[in-house]
Amino acid sequence: FFAFLSMLQWTMLVVLFHTGWGCCQTPQPKRAPYFLLPYTRFDVAGPACPKRQSGKNACSRVTRPVDKAPFRASFTVIEHVATLVHGKSMVEIGSRNGDALDCLSHFARNTCGMEVEPQHCALLQKRAHESHGRFSVLCTEFPAPTTPNAEVYYTWVRYFFDAYFIWSFRRLQDEGAINASSQLIMGFAGGEFPAENQMWRQMQPFASSFAKCPYNDGKKWRQHGHPTVAVFQPSELNMTTFAAEFSANLQPEFYA
């Protein structure tokens, strides 16, 4: 009997050793879930937004869009942003013709759009009037002295403006124009667009959180992709480190 127990113990030890259950096992990298594998080649995997056709989600049910991709973000992306601004005061920076703004206004507590282009702002003002107070519009650029104070801000600008926007946002916080607790949500293109995705790779260490939002609105250019939606807390950033990382993007002549 004791000989049988001894043999059983040795057998268990051999099994544990070969299966890697021992206490000295080297940690192995976790594998991405099988349903995320098609997207892990683009950059570091993060939490994923639900992947849905834009015609089937909430934005399409509450908004009559004016633009199509690539002139606005996919509603799959915007609906994820809606979960981040739900019940909060928000400002969209660069609203164009207002498709995202209109959708987000159904989720945020109060909503304002900032747009500098006159032709877009004229339509925005018309849509704001038709919303019966659901959202308002400021026809001005960012940053501006009239930038509203809100809990959350959302933008998706050309990638070479990203660092400047965070820098300017922090400056407004330091001046007391924007609350220190306010968040900045930014959209970034996926690995399909290397230059834009490289900016996200540089920005990622400064983000508080992020999510992947793959979408498929069609077969044409920018009607499908794997963008990232990231949340930043600019007041908490080490701006010396940030400025060193993006020094070229923060030079005045860069935007001349």
Side-chain angles (χ1 to χ4, degrees), residues 32-33 36-45 201 226:
L36 290 181
L37 289 178
Y39 314 123
T40 56
R41 67 182 182 275
F42 292 104
D43 50 16
V44 180
R201 289 177 178 272
H226 305 77

Side-chain angles (χ1 to χ4, degrees), residues 174-196:
D174 291 343
E175 294 172 355
I178 295 178
N179 292 335
S181 58
S182 297
Q183 296 178 324
L184 178 60
I185 303 171
M186 304 185 79
F188 298 88
E192 307 91 345
F193 304 97
E196 299 175 44

Side-chain angles (χ1 to χ4, degrees), residues 59-74:
C59 281
S60 290
R61 292 198 298 269
V62 299
T63 301
R64 298 178 63 182
V66 174
D67 292 320
K68 295 182 179 179
F71 300 107
R72 64 161 170 82
S74 169

Side-chain angles (χ1 to χ4, degrees), residues 16-37:
L16 290 172
F17 178 81
H18 284 286
T19 55
W21 290 359
C23 62
C24 299
Q25 179 192 9
T26 301
Q28 299 298 313
K30 294 182 179 180
R31 295 181 179 179
Y34 72 91
F35 51 84
L36 290 181
L37 289 178

Side-chain angles (χ1 to χ4, degrees), residues 58-230:
C59 281
S60 290
R61 292 198 298 269
V62 299
T63 301
R64 298 178 63 182
V66 174
D67 292 320
K68 295 182 179 179
F71 300 107
R72 64 161 170 82
S74 169
F75 278 166
T76 301
V77 175
I78 298 304
E79 190 169 87
H80 174 66
V81 175
T83 67
L84 302 175
V85 305
H86 186 269
K88 301 177 182 178
S89 58
M90 73 147 293
V91 173
E92 183 188 29
I93 303 170
S95 297
R96 193 176 163 84
N97 288 322
D99 291 341
L101 185 68
D102 188 24
C103 177
L104 294 173
S105 68
H106 288 273
F107 300 90
R109 187 176 74 253
N110 54 66
T111 312
C112 179
M114 297 181 69
E115 176 56 53
V116 68
E117 297 295 337
Q119 68 272 26
H120 297 317
C121 212
L123 178 57
L124 275 173
Q125 289 176 320
K126 179 176 181 293
R127 294 182 76 170
H129 176 73
E130 293 171 349
S131 77
H132 302 289
R134 201 167 8 90
F135 64 87
S136 58
V137 175
L138 283 177
C139 296
T140 185
E141 62 183 353
F142 176 88
T146 54
T147 299
N149 191 2
E151 295 172 274
V152 186
Y153 296 73
Y154 165 69
T155 191
W156 191 335
V157 292
R158 297 291 297 276
Y159 69 96
F160 41 79
F161 287 114
D162 289 337
Y164 175 74
F165 264 54
I166 290 181
W167 181 268
S168 300
F169 193 95
R170 171 61 180 268
R171 187 178 63 189
L172 290 174
Q173 288 182 311
D174 291 343
E175 294 172 355
I178 295 178
N179 292 335
S181 58
S182 297
Q183 296 178 324
L184 178 60
I185 303 171
M186 304 185 79
F188 298 88
E192 307 91 345
F193 304 97
E196 299 175 44
N197 189 241
Q198 177 58 34
M199 177 58 72
W200 160 239
R201 289 177 178 272
Q202 289 180 258
M203 285 281 187
Q204 184 176 336
F206 300 96
S208 302
S209 62
F210 66 94
K212 303 295 179 182
C213 295
Y215 69 97
N216 182 11
D217 294 344
K219 297 181 179 181
K220 295 183 179 180
W221 184 69
R222 288 191 184 267
Q223 289 185 344
H224 53 275
H226 305 77
T228 296
V229 174

